[in-house]
Amino acid sequence: MKVNILTLYPDMFPGCLGYSLAGKALADGKWSLNVVDIRDFATDHYKSVDDTPFGGGAGMVMKPEVLDAALTAVYKRGPLYYLSPRGTVFNQKTAEAWTTEEEMTFLCGRFEGIDERILEKWPFQEISIGDCILSGGEPALQVMLDAVIRLLPAVMGNRESMTEESFANGLLEYPQYTKPQVWQGRSVPEVLVSGHHANIRAWRLAQAEELTKTRRPDLWEKYLAQKN
Ligand code: SAH
């Protein structure tokens, strides 16, 4: 997967994505990053990328001609996304869908956002990290790409842990325990050390269902509907 990123802060990448699983996969060429500095496409003496909003109000808006020049230079094919609080909210389904893309391009906004005409002219989809306002699209994009990269077939070593995880089957994950078996007087649930695989599976499913029911009634409703 090739990822093109248009940003005013190219030094923020790879950021979190340079570490651990994603970082190793990047070093191994299992995905690649093309980070483009939007400011390189500014044409005036001051390299301006933003200007005051028509109609007044606080803040600045990213200039259309600069963004258009950057997009013309970078965007060739594949999905084109603008990171935006008014976009569709990213989730595990989105992450799974993105694993099949060969090339994706992302535009990170700053200030009050970008001139609306850029969204009219280019085939953008808008994607949000959730109902909060960030100061820029970069941290949201790192979260999204982290979720996608770990699912890439070339990256995910243990396929089983992928289907067992929270959201994969519509449920939150069951609780996990590791050694020591007794820690500060607390024992791990007996069934997990029984060696009885069917019982372990049943216990985990019951725990996952209980957690989902109490913590995420919205997910629980969906799970029940799809089960019946
Ligand atoms: N004035 C805008 C917010 C601009 S925040 C509004 O009220 O809707 C500046 C930039 O941060 C945006 O252009 C966008 O690229 C990014 N951003 C902010 N919140 C985000 C979110 N929830 N998801 C994705 N990107 C976000």
Side-chain angles (χ1 to χ4, degrees):
M1 177 186 287
K2 179 180 178 194
V3 179
N4 304 302
I5 301 174
L6 287 85
T7 172
L8 284 173
Y9 295 97
D11 292 348
M12 286 188 176
F13 293 94
C16 298
L17 304 171
Y19 295 83
S20 185
L21 203 63
K24 178 153 194 312
L26 182 60
D28 292 348
K30 289 173 179 164
W31 68 287
S32 69
L33 200 50
N34 172 32
V35 184
V36 175
D37 189 346
I38 295 169
R39 203 172 292 277
D40 289 346
F41 297 88
T43 51
D44 67 1
H45 179 66
Y46 301 100
K47 291 260 165 210
S48 346
V49 292
D50 57 330
D51 209 333
T52 54
F54 274 114
M60 302 293 271
V61 176
M62 291 174 80
K63 289 160 71 65
E65 70 274 28
V66 178
L67 292 171
D68 191 62
L71 284 161
T72 302
V74 173
Y75 181 66
K76 300 285 181 277
R77 67 206 175 105
L80 180 61
Y81 281 97
Y82 171 51
L83 279 292
S84 160
R86 70 181 195 195
T88 308
V89 177
F90 181 88
N91 63 21
Q92 192 64 17
K93 287 263 175 308
T94 323
E96 282 163 18
W98 287 4
T99 59
T100 59
E101 301 294 351
E102 275 172 36
E103 181 166 350
M104 300 187 78
T105 303
F106 297 91
L107 169 60
C108 298
R110 281 273 154 181
F111 318 116
E112 291 309 312
I114 69 176
D115 188 301
E116 189 70 21
R117 291 167 291 182
I118 284 295
L119 297 170
E120 290 166 11
K121 175 178 168 179
W122 292 84
F124 273 107
Q125 293 172 263
E126 295 182 53
I127 189 89
S128 168
I129 199 66
D131 292 346
C132 56
I133 303 295
L134 305 175
S135 49
E138 293 83 359
L141 179 54
Q142 288 194 20
V143 171
M144 294 174 193
L145 291 177
D146 181 87
V148 176
I149 290 157
R150 61 190 292 284
L151 295 182
L152 293 176
V155 176
M156 186 79 155
N158 181 357
R159 306 286 302 178
E160 196 188 337
S161 78
M162 178 162 147
T163 51
E164 288 275 302
E165 255 165 5
S166 292
F167 308 121
N169 56 3
L171 293 171
L172 301 178
E173 198 186 55
Y174 48 80
Q176 300 271 18
Y177 301 87
T178 185
K179 291 181 241 347
Q181 194 178 332
V182 182
W183 173 74
Q184 296 194 350
R186 298 160 195 270
S187 300
V188 312
E190 206 54 45
V191 61
L192 297 180
V193 293
S194 67
H196 194 299
H197 296 297
N199 287 358
I200 293 172
R201 252 199 316 279
W203 181 87
R204 285 180 164 169
L205 179 62
Q207 291 283 319
E209 290 188 342
E210 186 57 28
L211 274 172
T212 309
K213 197 152 106 186
T214 52
R215 296 199 189 181
R216 292 293 303 273
D218 57 321
L219 291 182
W220 180 246
E221 289 302 319
K222 273 191 216 148
Y223 174 75
L224 286 183
Q226 145 202 329
K227 216 169 121 181
N228 299 327

